[in-house]
Amino acid sequence: MSEQGKGSAPASAAAPAPGSDTYKGWLFKWTNYLKGYQRRWFVLSNGLLSYYRTQAEMAHTCRGTINLATAHIDTEDACNIVLSSGGRTYHLKASTEVERQRWVTALELAKAKAIRMMNDQSDDSGDEEPTSQSDRSEIQGTLKILVSKLDDLSTCNDLIAKHGAALQRSLSELEGLKVPVEGGEKIKAVNERATLFRITSNAMINACRDFLDLAETHSRRWQRALQYEREQRIHLEETIEQLAKQHNSLERAWREAPTLVSTTPSAPTANKGGSERLHKEEASDEDENTEYFDAMEDSPEFITVTATENTQHRQSQSNLSGASGGQPNHWNQDDPMSPSCNDVPGKELQPRRQRRTHVPDKPNYSLNLWSIMKNCIGKELSKIPMPVNFNEPLSMLQRLTEDLEYHELLDKAARCDSSLEQMCLVAAFSVSSYSTTVHRTAKPFNPLLGETYELDRQEEFGYRSLCEQVSHHPPAAAHHVISQRGWTLWQEITIASKFRGKYLSIMPLGAIHLQFHSSGNHYVWRKVTSTVHNIIVGKLWIDQSGDIEIVNHRTKETCQLKFSPYSYFSRDVPRKVTGMVADSEGQAHYILSGTWDDKIESAKIIQSSRGSSGSEGKQKTVYQTLSPKLLWKKYPLPENAENMYYFSALALTLNEPEEGVGLTDSRLRPDQKLMEEGRWDEANSEKQRLEEKQRAVRRRREAEASDAVDEGKEYEGYQPLWFQQRRDSVTGETNFVYNGGYWEAKERQDWSMCPNIF
């Protein structure tokens, strides 16, 4: 037993403070006659003493708990402690007498506090009516804490008095012994000091009691002040809720208004009041053809100054025709180069092929989410075995392809003569990729290693897209798009995701490259963080937050975009995006504003000046701009989208069967197809089979690599079929880029090189 005692150093080096809520440490607990005392980790918290085999077990397994409110605490000898409650008895042993005394003190304090809490709860339930619960102010809670702390001090005082009396008895017995004169005098001095210490502790308790009495005398005044503050807060919350409802009703009215306004664009004077109201709802205020934005130096937050009545009336016709029609207007009336960017409205051509417009409705299967998620906290999402109940019938490769939903923005950007205007359209395109995520809280399928997805829209929209899963741990996908309308886009995205208990963070890692053929402008940017909230309780909702910096590496022009995180108390519109386009010298030329789930507008800056200092003491820059022009507007969701996983028109076609695709294409993945058809049980079984097959292939590769090392040979490892790693000449980063051959293989219908992954 002595060897065990040497290894039982307590977790807490110091004794617990009076009133401490938690005390932890190692103790030896009697188990049985065969094993004797075994070392266990004990945790004292909230009147409960629990124990575990190791500290790591605290996260998942408790071996036993005893309630100190009804427990009897006894000390057998120098190191032993006996706890008994309700027929349960713990025989504990500390490593030293000092350690045992620390535990006894902590247990006594916790027991006294637990008894007081039990008595307070019984008093509150029996003496007070339900209506008085809401009227009780926070100061009463504070007073209860003070009373509790005072009782803690009283308990400490009793313990001090108890131990002090024992010390004095011991000293008195020593005085009766025959000791040298010098030793007797020292014993007397120690006895006097012990008496003074006990008197001082009594004085401390009395002073604390006086303080509590003084606090109680002033409690009514504090109670009135706190009650007033509570009423003001409730009133503020009700006002915010009312304003939010009014905002939603105005937004709905504005969305319905364009069809009425567009019928009478030639008579603005006949409906002057209506025109002014629409302008206020649109928040497109003008003053002598200009607008004023107030911007912080370190963040793109802008404030619009209200326009005059005459100017609103004079400009109503042109503004309403641009904003209400849902199509981009000219950049401004004075810029002769601008119409070249907007000479083709909306979707340029209708698809030649009739594609599907619906998928089978999502089944209403119930699932105990917590039973699956509680063991996943802190783990990498890609390593958690998830049933298809959390998925949507699309793979991550197909979700990546959905970035092309608004490809016409890049078609227009390719026709721009001005690189700054082109930058605005590229920024709108980068924001538009998030518009489909506002309701899409389901998880896409993790692609298998070597899985591909093609989207051939060359005949309809002039582009071809190819994705391939190039790595499995970490999961990484490479994407390449080439358009006959003057642009090429490529990216390599690695998804890092963490489950945090209440929310899920998704961090896309990797750069997106876009190059225009005629000008050679090469743009690079990265995605922001997506967060899925209310994973365990409540309705799931998704938010985007962070900053995007778009850089034109040929001209060194930049665009800074800020995705504001949602806040209940913020005065800004939800899902707000603000930005600024600047030249290579850092001078701002355009201001961007809007929301990532609806639209993005741009306003050309014609003058800037230094304004007054803001609330944080930072000097603001005031930007004088022309009226904002619509760059991008979200397409409405298809009918019955809420029962079809909230898929957009493009997403509905992504899993549609097509002839001639590669043998590794996501459309051919069996578990994904079974889920789309509503056969979820079969999909779960098929998903498990595919994942086990992939693990077996990985184990075989690892064995081959190990054999190669043993034989002194070089092992190449897995190599993607259609992409290869290269160093980018612009950014200097190494990433996977398309090496060609896929579309040629499709023309030949030669897929002999494709692995059998399904």
Side-chain angles (χ1 to χ4, degrees):
M1 187 64 64
S2 60
E3 293 180 359
Q4 288 178 325
K6 292 178 182 178
S8 62
S12 303
S20 177
D21 294 330
T22 304
Y23 189 65
K24 305 176 184 178
W26 291 103
L27 290 173
F28 292 96
K29 179 181 177 297
W30 174 263
T31 56
N32 52 51
Y33 285 100
L34 292 177
K35 296 184 178 180
Y37 282 94
Q38 294 293 319
R39 192 166 179 255
R40 296 290 183 260
W41 178 256
F42 280 81
V43 177
L44 175 60
S45 178
N46 297 325
L48 300 175
L49 180 66
S50 305
Y51 74 93
Y52 311 84
R53 286 185 178 176
T54 62
Q55 298 184 46
E57 276 194 350
M58 291 178 62
H60 51 83
T61 304
C62 178
R63 299 292 173 176
T65 301
I66 192 168
N67 189 350
L68 294 179
T70 58
H72 176 69
I73 305 173
D74 191 17
T75 53
E76 292 182 343
D77 54 27
C79 295
N80 281 22
I81 306 172
V82 179
L83 297 176
S84 57
S85 174
R88 179 183 301 177
T89 302
Y90 287 175
H91 293 269
L92 309 177
K93 181 179 292 242
S95 59
T96 62
E97 186 176 357
V98 174
E99 181 64 19
R100 189 214 56 171
Q101 190 56 48
R102 289 175 178 169
W103 274 104
V104 170
T105 303
L107 291 169
E108 292 282 1
L109 287 172
K111 178 181 178 180
K113 182 178 293 186
I115 293 173
R116 287 195 305 272
M117 289 177 61
M118 188 170 59
N119 294 335
D120 291 342
Q121 290 175 358
S122 62
D123 293 342
D124 292 343
S125 60
D127 298 339
E128 297 184 5
E129 298 180 359
T131 54
S132 65
Q133 297 281 344
S134 59
D135 297 333
R136 180 175 305 186
S137 65
E138 295 179 4
I139 189 60
Q140 290 176 325
T142 305
L143 289 174
K144 278 193 174 183
I145 295 174
L146 290 174
V147 172
S148 174
K149 297 300 181 184
L150 181 61
D151 290 339
D152 289 341
L153 291 173
S154 298
T155 303
C156 291
N157 183 53
D158 294 340
L159 291 173
I160 292 172
K162 177 182 175 181
H163 296 308
L167 177 63
Q168 284 184 332
R169 284 196 301 272
S170 300
L171 293 173
S172 299
E173 292 172 357
L174 287 174
E175 286 181 2
L177 298 176
K178 294 181 178 180
V179 295
V181 177
E182 185 179 354
E185 292 178 355
K186 288 186 177 180
I187 291 173
K188 276 188 178 181
V190 172
N191 198 356
E192 291 175 357
R193 289 177 182 175
T195 304
L196 289 174
F197 179 73
R198 190 167 59 176
I199 294 172
T200 305
S201 67
N202 289 331
M204 178 185 65
I205 295 296
N206 293 331
C208 292
R209 187 172 286 109
D210 293 340
F211 170 76
L212 181 61
D213 294 339
L214 182 63
E216 287 178 345
T217 58
H218 292 81
S219 65
R220 291 188 179 181
R221 180 168 58 86
W222 297 342
Q223 180 178 354
R224 287 194 299 269
L226 288 173
Q227 183 65 24
Y228 173 77
E229 294 297 331
R230 179 181 289 105
E231 292 173 354
Q232 291 295 105
R233 186 187 64 185
I234 294 173
H235 177 69
L236 177 61
E237 291 177 352
E238 292 174 350
T239 303
I240 292 174
E241 184 178 0
Q242 186 177 2
L243 289 174
K245 292 179 180 178
Q246 292 177 358
H247 172 78
N248 290 335
S249 62
L250 289 174
E251 188 175 4
R252 285 195 301 270
W254 169 244
R255 289 176 178 174
E256 297 170 358
T259 57
L260 301 176
V261 177
S262 60
T263 59
T264 59
S266 59
T269 56
N271 191 17
K272 179 177 179 179
S275 174
E276 292 172 0
R277 285 194 299 273
L278 288 173
H279 270 278
K280 291 176 182 178
E281 292 170 6
E282 185 188 3
S284 177
D285 305 322
E286 301 180 9
D287 186 5
E288 297 299 331
N289 288 330
T290 63
E291 289 193 356
Y292 296 87
F293 291 92
D294 199 14
M296 291 293 293
E297 280 292 311
D298 58 344
S299 63
E301 297 179 357
F302 314 112
I303 303 173
T304 307
V305 179
T306 305
T308 60
E309 180 178 338
N310 294 335
T311 311
Q312 274 191 330
H313 167 63
R314 185 169 62 250
Q315 297 292 332
S316 61
Q317 179 176 352
S318 61
N319 283 345
L320 288 175
S321 62
S324 64
Q327 305 296 343
N329 198 353
H330 295 321
W331 292 80
N332 58 71
Q333 288 83 0
D334 302 322
D335 191 345
M337 295 188 297
S338 300
S340 64
C341 297
N342 302 279
D343 54 0
V344 182
K347 289 191 174 181
E348 301 179 14
L349 295 174
Q350 293 298 322
R352 298 180 182 179
R353 172 181 167 181
Q354 185 66 31
R355 301 191 181 272
R356 70 180 185 182
T357 58
H358 71 279
V359 295
D361 286 359
K362 179 181 179 181
N364 187 17
Y365 289 150
S366 61
L367 184 69
N368 188 350
L369 178 64
W370 174 243
S371 65
I372 298 173
M373 287 294 189
K374 65 181 180 181
N375 293 324
C376 303
I377 298 176
K379 294 182 180 179
E380 184 71 25
L381 188 66
S382 60
K383 298 181 181 179
I384 298 173
M386 288 287 188
V388 299
N389 304 60
F390 300 111
N391 288 63
E392 61 180 16
L394 291 177
S395 73
M396 181 60 74
L397 302 181
Q398 292 165 309
R399 283 293 291 266
L400 202 59
T401 306
E402 280 192 71
D403 288 357
L404 302 174
E405 177 94 25
Y406 300 92
H407 60 89
E408 63 269 15
L409 290 170
L410 301 184
D411 297 341
K412 295 169 190 169
R415 296 189 296 270
C416 280
D417 297 325
S418 168
S419 59
L420 290 171
E421 294 177 1
Q422 188 179 74
M423 174 71 84
C424 292
L425 288 167
V426 172
F429 174 79
S430 69
V431 175
S432 69
S433 62
Y434 298 98
S435 63
T436 61
T437 66
V438 62
H439 300 296
R440 302 272 292 278
T441 54
K443 174 182 175 289
F445 280 78
N446 289 330
L448 303 173
L449 184 62
E451 185 175 335
T452 60
Y453 181 75
E454 68 158 77
L455 187 67
D456 190 349
R457 295 291 190 266
Q458 185 166 298
E459 294 183 357
E460 297 144 311
F461 302 118
Y463 69 84
R464 279 177 165 178
S465 168
L466 176 66
C467 292
E468 182 180 4
Q469 187 76 358
V470 296
S471 172
H472 190 64
H473 287 300
H479 185 203
H480 181 269
V481 190
I482 185 167
S483 173
Q484 294 177 339
R485 298 178 183 175
W487 53 271
T488 300
L489 182 144
W490 67 97
Q491 58 181 321
E492 178 194 336
I493 297 296
T494 300
I495 300 296
S497 50
K498 284 290 186 180
F499 178 58
R500 303 293 188 182
K502 292 184 179 180
Y503 63 91
L504 175 69
S505 296
I506 303 171
M507 295 80 71
L509 309 176
I512 304 172
H513 296 256
L514 173 65
Q515 188 169 24
F516 291 98
H517 303 163
S518 60
S519 63
N521 289 335
H522 187 158
Y523 297 88
V524 180
W525 70 93
R526 301 175 190 273
K527 290 180 175 287
V528 296
T529 298
S530 301
T531 306
V532 183
H533 296 269
N534 294 343
I535 292 291
I536 301 301
V537 179
K539 183 179 179 181
L540 292 174
W541 61 280
I542 195 166
D543 193 22
Q544 316 289 346
S545 60
D547 299 327
I548 291 181
E549 181 184 35
I550 306 176
V551 180
N552 184 343
H553 284 273
R554 189 184 72 84
T555 64
K556 306 305 178 183
E557 296 163 349
T558 60
C559 175
Q560 302 288 340
L561 291 173
K562 180 179 179 61
F563 287 65
S564 301
Y566 175 79
S567 175
Y568 180 79
F569 296 101
S570 175
R571 293 177 294 178
D572 294 331
V573 295
R575 310 179 186 97
K576 181 180 178 182
V577 178
T578 53
M580 183 183 300
V581 176
D583 58 21
S584 58
E585 302 297 328
Q587 182 177 355
H589 288 266
Y590 287 95
I591 285 177
L592 306 179
S593 60
T595 58
W596 53 262
D597 68 325
D598 186 24
K599 65 179 180 180
I600 290 293
E601 296 177 330
S602 69
K604 186 172 184 179
I605 299 173
I606 59 176
Q607 187 178 352
S608 63
S609 60
R610 302 299 260 179
S612 59
S613 299
S615 58
E616 299 180 359
K618 299 179 181 178
Q619 193 174 23
K620 299 181 180 181
T621 301
V622 179
Y623 293 109
Q624 182 179 350
T625 74
L626 297 174
S627 59
K629 308 302 176 184
L630 189 67
L631 294 177
W632 161 75
K633 178 76 174 174
K634 180 186 176 183
Y635 300 137
L637 289 175
E639 186 179 358
N640 196 37
E642 64 276 7
N643 295 321
M644 299 187 296
Y645 310 92
Y646 285 98
F647 281 173
S648 63
L650 175 63
L652 289 173
T653 67
L654 293 180
N655 216 33
E656 185 177 10
E658 291 201 16
E659 296 180 359
V661 298
L663 301 180
T664 55
D665 197 272
S666 299
R667 297 177 181 89
L668 306 178
R669 181 166 174 166
D671 54 348
Q672 186 173 300
K673 192 65 178 176
L674 288 169
M675 182 194 175
E676 183 182 271
E677 296 171 356
R679 299 152 62 184
W680 284 18
D681 291 336
E682 298 175 56
N684 277 319
S685 301
E686 195 65 22
K687 182 172 182 287
Q688 188 174 0
R689 181 189 69 82
L690 291 174
E691 291 175 349
E692 185 55 40
K693 180 178 180 179
Q694 183 172 238
R695 293 188 192 101
V697 173
R698 187 179 71 248
R699 287 193 293 267
R700 188 181 73 244
R701 289 198 185 99
E702 291 173 352
E704 292 174 355
S706 178
D707 293 341
V709 171
D710 294 340
E711 296 174 4
K713 299 179 181 179
E714 186 175 340
Y715 184 74
E716 186 178 14
Y718 176 79
Q719 295 297 325
L721 195 57
W722 310 111
F723 291 80
Q724 63 180 3
Q725 276 191 321
R726 293 178 187 167
R727 186 177 183 85
D728 189 270
S729 59
V730 174
T731 63
E733 298 177 348
T734 301
N735 49 25
F736 283 92
V737 295
Y738 180 58
N739 59 9
Y742 180 87
W743 304 108
E744 293 78 8
K746 183 179 180 181
E747 290 179 3
R748 300 190 308 268
Q749 281 300 294
D750 178 15
W751 302 114
S752 58
M753 71 293 291
C754 293
N756 179 15
I757 61 174
F758 299 141

